[in-house]
Amino acid sequence: MVKKVLKWVGIVVGGLVVLLLAFYAFVYFQTESRANKRYDVKLQSLTIPNDSASYALGKHIAGIRGCAECHGADFSGRAFFDASTPIAVLYSSNLTSGKGGISYTDQDWVRALRHGLGKDTKTLWFMPSPEVSAPLSNRDLGALIYYLKSQPPVDKIHPIKEIKPLGRFLAFTGDLPLYPAEVIDHEAQPAEHVPAAVDAVYGKYLAVTCSGCHGAGFKGGPGHGPGEPYIADLTQTGKVGKWTSDNFVTAIKTGKTPDGRVINEFMPWKYFATVYTDDELRAIYLYLHELK
């Protein structure tokens, strides 16, 4: 009797192992196919400026779009996931011309920032192009490219990227936004220029960056990883929706909410406080305050 039970337990366990291996094989080949897909996109001929005003504008755009947050203050790249994590080995690129850096033509920059694609026309990994750079106006994208191209070379070579089994599963389920080119409208026609103003139109243009964490509808939700706090609802239905414009600006600049609560540092308010002007924050508030 015991032998029969053990035999059936062995059969069930063996069957489960086979099913798990089959499922992982499916996940592996599906994620590999997505990573290696080549995109045939029509690149716009963008005029890249080279004057001091455009450099200053590009520097500001790099600030409010979080380029230095991901690529480091010197744009030489940093670890998102190092070898100690179970998800992947993934470093942001060294954007400079130093050893280990990229060697981009103007069209390569457009391909990466507008379409989330590398020189090989495959999707970049974990690059937030959909929220950060794809929506930029032509004027702002040109200024950003000029600024990034002007950075001094830094020698820094990063480990080869690698996605681990857990990372593959998260990419498969959509919990890890690993392949940005999949969600970009590659035929979208960008605006030539979005004028800066303290209004909801300009606020919408700025706030798209916030959608990377708070969601397309800015409703927030559970944190994106272990230990991360609940992400706030920024619309009228959330606590932020009850704030005044001054409350919103003060919270970003000081890290304190109107009721005296300290904002969790998973929300990069300290960084935002240094890069956004008060008027830009007020514009974002006006846009968010319209959402229900």
Side-chain angles (χ1 to χ4, degrees), residues 186-198:
H186 297 288
E187 296 182 358
Q189 298 297 313
E192 188 61 34
H193 175 47
V194 180
V198 184

Side-chain angles (χ1 to χ4, degrees), residues 31-268:
T31 52
E32 278 294 288
S33 175
R34 291 162 64 191
N36 289 306
K37 178 181 177 180
R38 294 182 182 275
Y39 290 76
D40 182 16
V41 298
K42 183 178 181 180
L43 300 178
Q44 66 182 126
S45 297
L46 188 66
T47 300
I48 309 302
N50 59 2
D51 58 280
S52 59
S54 296
Y55 181 92
L57 175 61
K59 181 178 181 179
H60 183 63
I61 294 167
I64 62 176
R65 296 285 170 164
C67 300
E69 273 284 275
C70 289
H71 293 274
D74 61 1
F75 298 98
S76 64
R78 66 175 183 83
F80 286 134
F81 305 105
D82 62 26
S84 68
T85 71
I87 296 176
V89 176
L90 185 57
Y91 288 68
S92 58
S93 297
N94 179 348
L95 298 183
T96 78
S97 59
K99 188 175 181 180
I102 61 175
S103 178
Y104 272 9
T105 65
D106 290 348
Q107 288 294 82
D108 292 332
W109 280 107
V110 171
R111 183 183 294 107
L113 296 175
R114 189 70 87 194
H115 299 280
L117 299 172
K119 294 171 70 172
D120 58 2
T121 72
K122 297 178 183 179
T123 184
L124 298 172
W125 286 19
F126 209 54
M127 164 69 178
S129 301
E131 305 89 22
V132 170
S133 53
L136 286 172
S137 69
N138 290 335
R139 174 176 176 265
D140 288 353
L141 183 62
L144 175 62
I145 292 173
Y146 174 51
Y147 173 71
L148 293 175
K149 285 173 56 179
S150 303
Q151 296 308 298
V154 178
D155 294 335
K156 185 185 288 187
I157 301 174
H158 297 300
I160 296 174
K161 65 184 180 183
E162 171 194 353
I163 183 169
K164 300 179 181 180
L166 177 58
R168 287 191 183 279
F169 177 74
L170 294 174
F172 175 78
T173 61
D175 293 306
L176 178 66
L178 193 60
Y179 307 127
E182 293 181 337
V183 298
I184 292 175
D185 179 1
H186 297 288
E187 296 182 358
Q189 298 297 313
E192 188 61 34
H193 175 47
V194 180
V198 184
D199 59 28
V201 173
Y202 191 56
K204 180 179 181 180
Y205 178 69
L206 296 173
V208 66
T209 307
C210 309
S211 65
C213 288
H214 292 271
F218 301 93
K219 290 289 187 180
H224 296 307
E228 294 189 12
Y230 194 87
I231 299 170
D233 178 353
L234 301 182
T235 72
Q236 291 183 25
T237 58
K239 290 183 178 179
V240 177
K242 310 300 187 294
W243 296 355
T244 66
S245 176
D246 287 342
N247 290 156
F248 184 78
V249 173
T250 300
I252 299 298
K253 293 291 185 178
T254 68
K256 290 185 179 180
T257 66
D259 59 3
R261 182 175 57 85
V262 176
I263 298 176
N264 193 293
E265 292 195 6
F266 275 101
M267 160 65 180

